[in-house]
């Protein structure tokens, strides 16, 4: 597996990245971190598949838009990082004597992806795909922050701090790519629309102890 001995970002850098993220319209129900920390095996399994799906999303975008050089270059790096995260979650599972288990349906992502508009200009579809990916990263960052600050396991707390910093960077990368290929004002307006949609989705989903989202 990958060597993870490289220096990790400082807390100051983490806070700087976090400030670049637009505020989510709804904070996670505080009950989530309490019940999640009591069911860490299921959370880690679900988290592993979240990282795998994030890598797959990046690959799909590269395959669909190979002519967009900046997108290909940046998402190639992002895919490698997401897969490294998948490996790290596997390590945390194995350290605790757990297996990967089977994937679960991520209703949060399914509902959010349903708002990627079909048809019309190709760039509009790309913008929606990038912004939905950005919001998934932002929500993951928020959940990782909760785990970092509140989970009683010190090793997992450090682990989720490191991933929180990374997810914040991924949010920024996706939004910047959207503005590379679409009008920045249109991107900002659509992002606000999707933030409202994302908040409504989170409001209506049950608080579960076996899901990262």
């Amino acid at each position: 597996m990958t060597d993870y001995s490289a220096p990790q970002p400082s807390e100051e850098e983490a806070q700087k990245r976090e400030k670049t993220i637009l505020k989510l319209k709804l904070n996670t129900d505080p009950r989530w971190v309490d019940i999640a920390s009591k069911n860490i095996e299921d959370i880690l399994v679900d988290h592993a598949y979240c990282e795998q799906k994030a890598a797959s999303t990046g690959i799909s975008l590269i395959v669909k838009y190979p002519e967009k050089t900046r997108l290909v270059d940046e998402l190639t790096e992002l895919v490698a990082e997401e897969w490294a995260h998948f490996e790290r979650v596997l390590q945390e599972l194995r350290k605790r004597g757990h297996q990967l288990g089977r994937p679960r349906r991520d209703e949060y992502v399914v509902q959010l992806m349903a708002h990627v508009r079909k048809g019309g200009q190709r760039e509009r579809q790309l913008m929606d795909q990038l912004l939905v990916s950005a919001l998934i990263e932002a929500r993951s960052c928020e959940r990782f922050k909760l785990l970092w600050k509140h989970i009683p396991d010190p090793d997992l707390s450090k682990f989720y701090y490191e991933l929180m910093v990374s997810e914040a960077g991924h949010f920024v990368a996706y939004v910047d790519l959207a503005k590379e290929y679409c009008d920045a004002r249109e991107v900002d307006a659509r992002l606000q629309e999707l933030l409202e949609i994302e908040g409504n989705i989170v409001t209506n989903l049950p608080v579960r102890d076996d899901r990262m989202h």
Side-chain angles (χ1 to χ4, degrees):
M1 286 191 174
T2 306
D3 178 13
Y4 301 113
S5 59
Q8 295 299 326
S10 66
E11 185 168 354
E12 181 180 356
E13 183 180 350
Q15 291 172 346
K16 183 178 178 182
R17 289 191 186 184
E18 189 180 354
K19 287 179 181 177
T20 67
I21 296 181
L22 291 173
K23 295 291 184 182
L24 294 167
K25 298 297 183 182
L26 182 76
N27 292 330
T28 290
D29 189 315
R31 294 175 297 169
W32 177 79
V33 72
D34 292 329
I35 63 175
S37 64
K38 294 179 176 65
N39 198 20
I40 201 62
E41 179 182 356
D42 281 337
I43 286 294
L44 285 171
V45 169
D46 195 58
H47 179 190
Y49 281 110
C50 287
E51 299 292 355
Q52 179 265 318
K53 291 169 189 172
S56 297
T57 295
I59 293 169
S60 296
L61 287 168
I62 290 169
V63 171
K64 189 172 182 180
Y65 301 96
E67 75 282 3
K68 299 189 182 302
T69 302
R70 181 182 168 189
L71 180 147
V72 170
D73 290 347
E74 293 193 14
L75 291 189
T76 296
E77 293 183 8
L78 187 146
V79 166
E81 193 167 344
E82 298 285 19
W83 194 255
H85 292 172
F86 173 75
E87 289 185 310
R88 292 194 67 186
V89 181
L90 277 183
Q91 287 184 353
E92 295 299 328
L93 277 165
R94 302 266 167 76
K95 277 165 54 177
R96 291 161 176 78
H98 304 314
Q99 302 299 316
L100 177 60
R102 294 189 176 277
R104 298 86 179 264
R105 177 180 170 88
D106 192 335
E107 193 61 37
Y108 166 82
V109 172
V110 169
Q111 291 189 30
L112 200 51
M113 288 297 294
H115 292 277
V116 173
R117 292 170 292 187
K118 307 298 190 294
Q121 294 184 344
R122 198 160 177 260
E123 280 68 25
R124 190 183 76 169
Q125 292 182 43
L126 173 60
M127 176 178 66
D128 278 9
Q129 290 171 325
L130 291 170
L131 293 182
V132 164
S133 295
L135 288 181
I136 295 169
E137 299 286 346
R139 180 59 67 184
S140 295
C141 179
E142 189 234 13
R143 297 277 166 101
F144 294 163
K145 182 179 178 180
L146 287 172
L147 291 169
W148 161 47
K149 289 194 168 184
H150 300 292
I151 199 166
D153 184 321
D155 290 337
L156 279 179
S157 175
K158 179 177 181 292
F159 172 65
Y160 278 113
Y161 164 73
E162 294 167 2
L163 265 62
M164 176 195 74
V165 176
S166 178
E167 299 301 294
H170 293 174
F171 170 89
V172 173
Y174 275 121
V175 174
D176 284 351
L177 281 173
K179 291 182 178 181
E180 172 78 10
Y181 299 111
C182 301
D183 179 77
R185 290 170 298 181
E186 184 180 355
V187 171
D188 287 337
R190 181 58 175 161
L191 182 56
Q192 289 302 315
E193 291 175 1
L194 289 170
L195 279 164
E196 293 286 349
I197 289 167
E198 196 269 353
N200 289 333
I201 290 171
V202 171
T203 298
N204 292 313
L205 285 174
V207 179
R208 298 186 58 161
D209 63 355
D210 61 345
R211 297 288 190 275
M212 181 56 71
H213 296 123

